[in-house]
Amino acid sequence: MALRFEVLGRFNRARAARLTLPHFTCQTPLFMPVGTQGSTIKGLTTDQLETIGCQIILGNTYHLELRPGSQLIDDLGGLHKFMNWKRALLTDSGGFQMVSLLHLADITEEGVTFQSPVDGKPMLLTPEESINIQNNIGADIIMALDDVVKTTITGPRIEEAMYRTLRWIDRCIAAHKKPDVQNLFGIVQGGLDPVLRDICVRGLVERNLPGYAIGGLAGGEDKDSFWRVVAQCTAGLPEDKPRYVMGVGYPLDIVVCSALGADMYDCVYPTRTARFGSALVPEGVLKLKQNAMATDERPIDPSCPCMVCKNYTRAYLHCLVTKDPMGSQLLSYHNLSFMARLSRDLHMSILEGRFPEFVRGFLRVQFPKGDVPKWVHNAMEVAGIDISECCTPTNCQHDAMEAAGVDISEFCPPTRCP
């Protein structure tokens, strides 16, 4: 295998690890920004991404094959050289486009046929072709083609997709020509069905892959179902392999999933929300388009050491985000800096034995009124982290008191205790 995964510290399920890949040695937990047009993080250079502290960039196989083409990338020395990125890369399989471009796709056992949004021509993506394209691109981590369905879908389609994903992983393994320099990750599917998820986890673990992803989430399912799937899958995946929850980018979700034993995340959220004029801050989201920002001389986040917070006021950024593309570029820089700092803080707090304190501090800032969502409380119970001091009786103790026959309605809002 072309990776080494060493767990350096733990707190119950949570772990801080060193992930050594062909192009870079990473610290986990980690967040990966997504190249929305193949491998480009809109508005940012690779030097800026390195300064921010990005460890792995995610490239989109589907878009890279459309433009400029994987063969050209290979002829020019691979994607690292092509985009001048010296750290690690991960490419998706193209499977996500089955959901995002479903109106253009036809899924069969052979593969998925897309209608190209560029020229309208059909493009057949089989497991073999997906791996061939990713071999040409040359990323450190490549993803198996899976049959992706939204978690909000129910019925036999979920089971069909899970078993097809297991059949396709064998075709991906057989097609993979560069296992000595590229790591093939399998993807756990099965919707919200714990039986199907368990079958898929066991089937993938039997293949002894370099790493594993939890797919099919962050697609509209309720949060209680979301964390339970993550908890189930991380519990069943190997201790000595990286675990990647796909499509997750909200800071709260990353903290919760890390507490449950996940290591890697990706999402367009930090850069997409920047383009809408919103900045990530410890309290949540700061909307710089609001009129109140027009005269605010403070930085986005006084505690943030990034270039944007050191040099620009909220008032200046308010002016830019309403009129100039530079605004979204600066907010993208800040938001990815925020995610990189969150990743470092998670890693160090686990390593230094203060992870529960970090989680409680994070929640106190995000929910100063104590209104921590019930799903977070439930997940933290499974993770073995006591967050009762961060929560009001309404959120954490109401059900327990009710079961014990204790009336606490005088402490609760009417919506909870009419």
Side-chain angles (χ1 to χ4, degrees):
M1 295 179 184
L3 66 72
R4 187 167 69 253
F5 186 76
E6 306 162 87
V7 176
L8 306 176
R10 296 179 181 275
F11 180 83
N12 292 341
R13 286 173 167 237
R15 68 253 194 101
R18 180 188 299 119
L19 173 61
T20 304
L21 296 167
H23 289 88
F24 196 67
T25 298
C26 310
Q27 293 181 338
T28 69
L30 67 81
F31 174 80
M32 301 176 286
V34 178
T36 50
Q37 288 298 321
S39 59
T40 301
I41 311 299
K42 286 184 180 177
L44 299 178
T45 68
T46 52
D47 285 344
Q48 287 176 315
L49 293 170
E50 191 170 334
T51 300
I52 285 168
C54 294
Q55 304 179 77
I56 305 176
I57 295 175
L58 188 147
N60 186 294
T61 293
Y62 174 77
H63 290 292
L64 285 169
E65 179 63 6
L66 286 177
R67 284 187 303 224
S70 61
Q71 189 58 58
L72 175 62
I73 292 172
D74 189 27
D75 292 344
L76 295 176
L79 187 57
H80 285 89
K81 182 179 179 182
F82 186 70
M83 64 182 289
N84 189 32
W85 177 246
K86 298 176 180 63
R87 297 186 176 183
L89 287 168
L90 180 151
T91 44
D92 66 6
S93 65
F96 178 69
Q97 274 67 40
M98 293 183 197
V99 172
S100 62
L101 299 175
L102 190 58
H103 62 290
L104 301 176
D106 180 36
I107 304 162
T108 66
E109 188 64 25
E110 183 182 8
V112 54
T113 301
F114 297 105
Q115 181 184 346
S116 170
V118 177
D119 56 16
K121 294 180 179 178
M123 169 186 174
L124 175 63
L125 187 66
T126 64
E128 293 81 6
E129 183 62 15
S130 173
I131 297 302
N132 179 58
I133 293 169
Q134 293 183 80
N135 282 162
N136 286 341
I137 292 169
D140 301 72
I141 297 172
I142 64 176
M143 303 304 300
L145 184 66
D146 55 337
D147 189 349
V148 185
V149 293
K150 289 185 177 180
T151 48
T152 51
I153 292 176
T154 58
R157 178 71 182 99
I158 297 290
E159 183 174 358
E160 175 192 49
M162 186 279 294
Y163 279 111
R164 179 173 287 148
T165 293
L166 286 178
R167 292 192 296 274
W168 281 1
I169 186 64
D170 291 325
R171 292 168 60 183
C172 289
I173 292 169
H176 186 20
K177 299 182 181 67
K178 301 179 179 179
D180 56 326
V181 292
Q182 291 181 289
N183 299 282
L184 174 63
F185 281 28
I187 304 174
V188 180
Q189 292 291 348
L192 303 180
D193 187 323
V195 174
L196 295 180
R197 287 281 179 176
D198 185 58
I199 292 170
C200 200
V201 165
R202 287 189 283 110
L204 291 175
V205 170
E206 287 173 2
R207 271 76 172 180
N208 190 30
L209 298 163
Y212 302 89
I214 302 167
L217 292 175
E221 72 280 355
D222 65 277
K223 287 292 190 181
D224 206 57
S225 297
F226 163 77
W227 80 259
R228 291 181 190 280
V229 170
V230 173
Q232 177 191 356
C233 293
T234 54
L237 292 171
E239 284 289 325
D240 60 344
K241 304 286 180 69
R243 305 162 182 161
Y244 163 29
V245 186
M246 306 180 77
V248 168
Y250 294 135
L252 177 60
D253 293 357
I254 288 174
V255 171
V256 170
C257 290
S258 297
L260 295 170
D263 308 298
M264 302 166 62
Y265 313 93
D266 82 279
C267 193
V268 297
Y269 171 70
T271 48
R272 180 169 289 171
T273 199
R275 294 195 292 276
F276 285 99
S278 295
L280 302 180
V281 292
E283 296 79 9
V285 175
L286 184 70
K287 296 181 179 180
L288 286 151
K289 287 187 176 181
Q290 292 181 342
N291 290 335
M293 298 292 117
T295 57
D296 195 329
E297 296 185 69
R298 292 173 293 172
I300 292 173
D301 174 11
S303 69
C304 177
C306 85
M307 171 270 293
V308 179
C309 290
K310 283 182 176 179
N311 293 290
Y312 302 106
T313 64
R314 296 178 182 185
Y316 176 70
L317 294 166
H318 168 81
C319 184
L320 287 183
V321 298
T322 55
K323 297 179 180 178
D324 194 298
M326 178 63 72
S328 64
Q329 293 174 24
L330 292 174
L331 289 190
S332 292
Y333 188 103
H334 165 79
N335 285 355
L336 291 182
S337 296
F338 179 93
M339 300 303 290
R341 184 160 56 125
L342 175 63
S343 299
R344 289 192 296 271
D345 288 346
L346 287 166
H347 178 86
M348 293 307 300
S349 66
I350 298 169
L351 209 57
E352 295 171 357
R354 51 180 180 84
F355 183 60
E357 291 78 11
F358 172 81
V359 172
R360 286 190 285 268
F362 178 90
L363 294 175
R364 275 193 294 267
V365 174
Q366 286 245 325
F367 304 99
K369 296 180 180 179
D371 52 342
V372 177
K374 187 65 182 291
W375 72 270
V376 176
H377 181 260
N378 292 341
M380 290 302 101
E381 279 189 348
V382 170
I385 298 175
D386 180 9
I387 62 167
S388 57
E389 67 183 64
C390 308
C391 307
T392 62
T394 302
N395 288 282
C396 277
Q397 298 159 1
H398 184 280
D399 293 341
M401 293 299 99
E402 195 173 68
V406 179
D407 181 12
I408 61 169
S409 58
E410 65 183 281
F411 305 109
C412 302
T415 53
R416 181 59 191 262
C417 295

